[in-house]
Amino acid sequence: MTLNAFAPARLGALELRNRVIKTATYEGMCPGGMPSDALVEHHRVLAAGGVGLTTVAYCAVSPDGRTFAEQMSMRRETVSPLRRVTEAVHREGGAASLQLGHCGWFTKNAELSTWLPRGPSLTLNGYGISVGKPLALAMSAREIAQVIEDFGRAAGLAREAGFDAVELHLGHGYLLSQFLCPATNRRNDAFGGDLDGRARLALDVLRRVRSVVGDGFPLLCKTNLRDGFRGGLELPDAVGVSTRLESEGANALVLSGGFTSKTPFYLFRGRRPLAEMIDAEKSRLQKLVLRTVGKKVIREYPFEELFFLPQAREVRAAVRMPLVLLGGVVSRANVDAAMAEGFDFVAMGRALLADPDLVQRMQVETQARSRCTHCNICVAEMDLGGVRCVLDGPRAA
Ligand SMILES: Cc1cc2nc3c(=O)[nH]c(=O)nc-3n(C[C@H](O)[C@H](O)[C@H](O)COP(=O)(O)O)c2cc1C
């Protein structure tokens, strides 16, 4: 039976008004790490536009889990400003999810508590060169245990802030994805080796978070279908990760891909906004690196609608749990196709940045589609005072 994307739907114990999720797109609206009025308004507008669930992007579970110092990390002080976000979303009839993550070694945060960042194994960290952190060290057992605790604590605070769901970031080359990836996890203890070992941290985190938030509270996991480079996580392992997350009680998987430090545009597809990335970069050293080797190291991938569908189908065939189709969902026709393929939800990023009212339009117009051109300037400029669509005109001074 094909589901109706625009009718109410259950996610764990939560009832959503429809099956359309605004996926996490880093907002850049937390100056000094504190959620601002702009963040409240951003998500209010998305909820007013009709999404069932809006996701507040990347909240680090601890200060060392930030990729850079301006990012939000979950602290007691952030609970009350985050509650303003969830209340605004609820007033518009929507629900709110918080994406929780840890960056592992992918960081240029000069405020780390250790000189060098930590990840599964010793590695180079090109992203951290400008702040004197060109290397990362392997995490100790104690550091791993601390990360598991931090995820649990952060999820508890998210619930206190009124979030209806939490999304654990297992993809895109952040810490849990670094552990899952064969090329970046070369450990020979219980957290490395075969897929059971590499998935152990993600599953321990999921278990810990569940024990804090309780049964029924929706836990989504954003996972990679492929990392997109040789030696990275491939589809058969992604299927194995999905079946393990299903057995462990995750409520839904958001199927994505790509490894930001190695294949940044694999997760977006479309134009590679190199000139805009160079302009937006604050570090002179990084600007120089982008200018000289940017074209070579940052690959461009052509945009296609529903670009993860072929791989996501393999996961669909392997699990019964709710799955969220993501990647190039830009129109009512795409949403209908996702439902017809047996997915339970769709998630949309750029299309809703361009057209926050798209869900309302899709409900009444079968021809509705976003005006997004996949220019990806929103990605290059997300740190310049708040994520936005350039089709809206020049940024206010
Ligand atoms: C400006 C921008 C910021 C993003 N930030 C995040 C993020 O913080 N966390 C995340 O998991 N994905 C992030 N993404 C990736 C999106 O969640 C999504 O996976 C990707 O844009 C593909 O979906 P789309 O084709 O609907 O845009 C970001 C995307 C954009 C455009």
Side-chain angles (χ1 to χ4, degrees):
M1 190 196 67
T2 300
L3 298 168
N4 174 0
F6 302 103
R10 284 203 97 72
L11 178 61
L14 176 70
E15 180 164 293
L16 296 173
R17 63 181 160 184
N18 60 47
R19 296 177 181 274
V20 184
I21 298 174
K22 163 66 181 51
T23 200
T25 53
Y26 180 68
E27 298 92 354
M29 295 173 183
C30 294
M34 290 303 272
S36 64
D37 290 349
L39 187 73
V40 176
E41 181 59 9
H42 181 73
H43 287 282
R44 188 200 66 74
V45 168
L46 285 159
V51 290
L53 181 71
T54 184
T55 310
V56 174
Y58 202 89
C59 175
V61 294
S62 64
D64 283 357
R66 293 172 295 171
T67 43
F68 45 88
E70 277 293 284
Q71 251 170 4
M72 165 174 47
S73 67
M74 187 47 106
R75 292 170 291 154
R76 174 126 309 278
E77 306 88 273
T78 45
V79 170
S80 127
L82 281 174
R83 190 174 293 122
R84 294 183 48 231
V85 177
T86 58
E87 285 171 356
V89 169
H90 293 156
R91 274 196 297 274
E92 298 289 355
S97 174
L98 181 67
Q99 182 180 57
L100 293 177
H102 190 297
C103 62
W105 51 256
F106 180 59
T107 183
K108 57 173 179 181
N109 175 10
E111 297 171 5
L112 280 185
S113 64
T114 50
W115 171 42
L116 292 173
R118 301 289 194 263
S121 306
L122 177 73
T123 186
L124 290 172
N125 173 32
Y127 189 62
I129 289 177
S130 62
V131 293
K133 300 186 186 301
L135 278 180
L137 305 179
M139 284 174 127
S140 66
R142 196 182 50 78
E143 287 166 332
I144 290 177
Q146 184 61 52
V147 164
I148 297 168
E149 271 316 295
D150 288 340
F151 267 95
R153 187 193 52 89
L157 290 175
R159 195 168 187 181
E160 224 180 292
F163 283 97
D164 306 284
V166 158
E167 178 181 286
L168 305 177
H169 203 342
L170 271 59
H172 299 178
Y174 292 86
L175 180 69
L176 302 181
S177 160
Q178 293 161 15
F179 268 81
L180 286 164
C181 169
T184 55
N185 182 344
R186 300 182 312 282
R187 301 179 73 93
N188 44 31
D189 63 2
F191 292 93
D194 62 8
L195 186 60
D196 280 329
R198 284 182 282 118
R200 189 176 308 278
L201 178 57
L203 293 169
D204 281 358
V205 162
L206 176 60
R207 242 174 256 127
R208 179 71 193 127
V209 168
R210 175 62 75 204
S211 75
V212 172
V213 296
D215 288 344
F217 187 82
L219 295 180
L220 300 99
C221 294
K222 192 164 190 176
T223 58
N224 272 6
L225 292 155
R226 283 191 71 224
D227 289 341
F229 64 95
R230 195 174 305 147
L233 182 101
E234 295 290 352
L235 190 53
D237 271 3
V239 170
V241 172
S242 306
T243 54
R244 285 165 175 78
L245 292 168
E246 177 173 49
S247 307
E248 212 44 68
N251 297 97
L253 303 183
V254 183
L255 301 170
S256 187
F259 210 89
T260 306
S261 56
K262 295 180 190 289
T263 52
F265 284 89
Y266 187 83
L267 54 133
F268 302 113
R269 317 294 166 100
R271 184 175 162 265
R272 172 184 55 188
L274 199 52
E276 290 85 356
M277 288 168 73
I278 294 168
D279 278 351
E281 179 54 61
K282 292 176 189 121
S283 147
R284 283 161 71 177
L285 183 62
Q286 290 286 12
K287 257 191 207 292
L288 185 69
V289 171
L290 280 174
R291 250 192 219 113
T292 46
V293 296
K295 265 208 179 104
K296 230 175 136 162
V297 298
I298 303 178
R299 239 186 92 179
E300 192 166 69
Y301 303 84
F303 180 84
E304 275 175 75
E305 294 182 14
L306 306 180
F307 55 82
F308 282 132
L309 176 60
Q311 294 148 359
R313 271 189 195 124
E314 305 281 319
V315 179
R316 184 63 294 172
V319 299
R320 295 171 63 88
M321 68 184 300
L323 292 180
V324 185
L325 187 68
L326 166 78
V329 178
V330 298
S331 66
R332 165 70 189 264
N334 292 157
V335 174
D336 291 346
M339 296 295 120
E341 291 269 356
F343 293 91
D344 305 82
F345 298 92
V346 293
M348 304 169 79
R350 289 164 295 179
L352 289 173
L353 289 179
D355 301 277
D357 64 344
L358 187 58
V359 181
Q360 273 178 356
R361 282 204 279 125
M362 289 194 299
Q363 285 176 35
V364 290
E365 272 177 54
T366 52
Q367 301 302 313
R369 79 169 19 249
S370 166
R371 66 189 168 138
C372 174
T373 61
H374 344 291
C375 70
N376 290 329
I377 299 176
C378 57
V379 180
E381 296 188 346
M382 63 188 161
D383 261 337
L384 297 184
V387 71
R388 61 188 287 281
C389 178
V390 291
L391 299 177
D392 287 339
R395 191 180 286 278

